């Protein structure tokens, strides 16, 4: 007898989802377990450790926590996430969505097209465009500002990749916020305006409480994406002097350039743990938001 809502029965339901589970196991679960195993060995690309790797336990983790290069890279990554995702993409995306709300016509379509274009272009193409923009000799930015000879990627490397990532990733926040603002009641905004509320007061007391869940969801997604973003490597290669060596770049150099696959795998596991901490913080904030809403629904039912 079928015991599920679709009426398939357990065996047929299991057969139906089996291909998807096999794909998940093959491309996600097994590689993750293999990475954890490699992180506990001294496996290398060449030499004796490549032929006969030895189990080292948590030695790679201890090495990472003791090395200044790891803490330096982690600090740069957090700076990159806060600057380009939390303060950059989220704020600029909301600002664009707020300014375009209720607007129709060519201007809105043009702005949306330009923002989306930066998002859908391949990373290699975008990196090439920005290298041309920031070039020391013939760069477009130096031509516009009248600052010939300024090497932006050398003199201001971290600021350059932060601005680059803001430009590249704002589209997602803009689209999410545009959809969220569509759920805000125009009546509430009009009532607040008639009551004498300023634009900031309308945002603080009406808009933000209504879209708080969307804001947290957006911050969670763009924070994780930015934390794992490898594209800045195409601009700076982690330089100059490791000033833009964020975690993905640091792991890439360690594992492939230096040939230390075991140590690189351990760094990947540590990076995963940091991602989990970030995700748990946002999930907890989302749950705290959901509790008052559920309490209000129960009160209304009574």
């Amino acid at each position: 007898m079928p015991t599920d809502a679709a009426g398939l029965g357990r065996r047929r339901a299991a057969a139906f989802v089996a291909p998807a589970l096999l794909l998940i196991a093959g491309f996600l679960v097994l590689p993750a377990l293999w990475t954890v195993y490699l992180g506990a060995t001294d496996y290398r690309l060449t030499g004796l450790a490549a032929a006969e790797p030895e189990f080292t336990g948590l030695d790679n983790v201890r090495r990472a926590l003791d090395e200044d290069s790891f803490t330096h890279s982690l600090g740069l990554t957090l700076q990159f996430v806060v600057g380009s995702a939390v303060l950059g993409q989220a704020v600029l995306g909301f600002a664009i969505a707020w300014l375009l709300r209720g607007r129709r016509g060519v201007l809105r379509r043009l702005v949306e097209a330009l923002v989306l274009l930066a998002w859908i272009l391949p990373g290699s193409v975008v990196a090439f465009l920005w290298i041309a923009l920031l070039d020391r000799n013939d760069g477009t930015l130096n031509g516009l500002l009248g600052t010939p000879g300024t090497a932006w990627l050398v003199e201001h490397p971290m600021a350059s990749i932060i601005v680059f990532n803001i430009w590249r990733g704002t589209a997602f926040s803009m689209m999410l916020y545009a959809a969220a603002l569509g759920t805000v009641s125009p009546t509430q905004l009009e009532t607040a305006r008639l009551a004498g509320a300023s634009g900031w007061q309308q945002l603080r007391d009406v808009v933000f409480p209504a879209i708080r869940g969307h804001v947290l969801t957006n911050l969670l997604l763009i924070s994780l994406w930015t934390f794992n973003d490898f594209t800045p490597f195409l601009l700076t290669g982690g330089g100059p002097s490791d000033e833009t060596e964020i975690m993905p770049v640091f792991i890439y150099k360690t594992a492939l350039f230096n040939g230390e696959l075991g140590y690189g795998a351990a760094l990947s596991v540590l990076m995963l743990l940091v991602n989990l901490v970030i995700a748990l913080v946002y999930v907890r904030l989302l749950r705290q938001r959901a509790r008052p809403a559920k309490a209000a629904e129960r009160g209304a039912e009574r």
Side-chain angles (χ1 to χ4, degrees), residues 97-222:
W98 178 256
L99 293 174
L100 293 180
R101 75 190 191 286
R103 294 182 181 273
R104 299 291 183 269
V106 178
L107 178 61
R108 174 167 183 162
R109 290 196 294 270
L110 178 62
V111 174
E112 289 179 342
L114 290 175
V115 176
L116 287 172
L117 184 64
W119 192 42
I120 63 177
L121 284 175
S124 56
V125 176
V126 173
F128 176 80
L129 293 175
W130 272 75
I131 289 174
L133 173 71
L134 302 175
D135 184 71
R136 179 199 299 260
N137 298 317
D138 302 317
T140 307
L141 184 60
N142 283 333
L144 293 174
L145 299 179
T147 55
T150 302
W152 296 95
L153 292 175
V154 176
E155 299 176 18
H156 311 283
M158 201 64 197
S160 296
I161 66 170
I162 286 175
V163 174
F164 160 77
N165 197 56
I166 292 173
W167 177 83
R168 191 163 92 28
T170 297
F172 177 81
S173 297
M174 179 195 72
M175 292 187 296
L176 190 147
Y177 287 137
L181 291 174
T183 65
V184 179
S185 173
T187 304
Q188 293 180 342
L189 287 174
E190 183 65 18
T191 302
R193 188 182 67 81
L194 293 175
S198 64
W200 165 246
Q201 289 173 330
Q202 293 177 42
L203 287 174
R204 183 191 62 191
D205 300 328
V206 179
V207 176
F208 286 143
I211 67 170
R212 185 170 181 263
H214 298 83
V215 172
L216 292 173
T217 301
N218 177 63
L219 288 174
L220 169 62
L221 293 175
I222 64 176

Side-chain angles (χ1 to χ4, degrees), residues 197-250:
S198 64
W200 165 246
Q201 289 173 330
Q202 293 177 42
L203 287 174
R204 183 191 62 191
D205 300 328
V206 179
V207 176
F208 286 143
I211 67 170
R212 185 170 181 263
H214 298 83
V215 172
L216 292 173
T217 301
N218 177 63
L219 288 174
L220 169 62
L221 293 175
I222 64 176
S223 295
L224 294 179
W225 291 340
T226 304
F227 198 95
N228 297 278
D229 190 15
F230 185 74
T231 311
F233 178 80
L234 301 178
L235 266 71
T236 63
S241 301
D242 300 333
E243 291 185 30
T244 59
E245 197 176 67
I246 56 179
M247 282 298 298
V249 177
F250 178 56

Side-chain angles (χ1 to χ4, degrees), residues 76-91 158-159 161-163 165-166 226:
L76 290 177
T77 307
L78 295 177
Q79 181 182 342
F80 182 57
V81 171
V82 173
S84 66
V86 178
L87 299 180
Q89 296 177 23
V91 174
M158 201 64 197
I161 66 170
I162 286 175
V163 174
N165 197 56
I166 292 173
T226 304

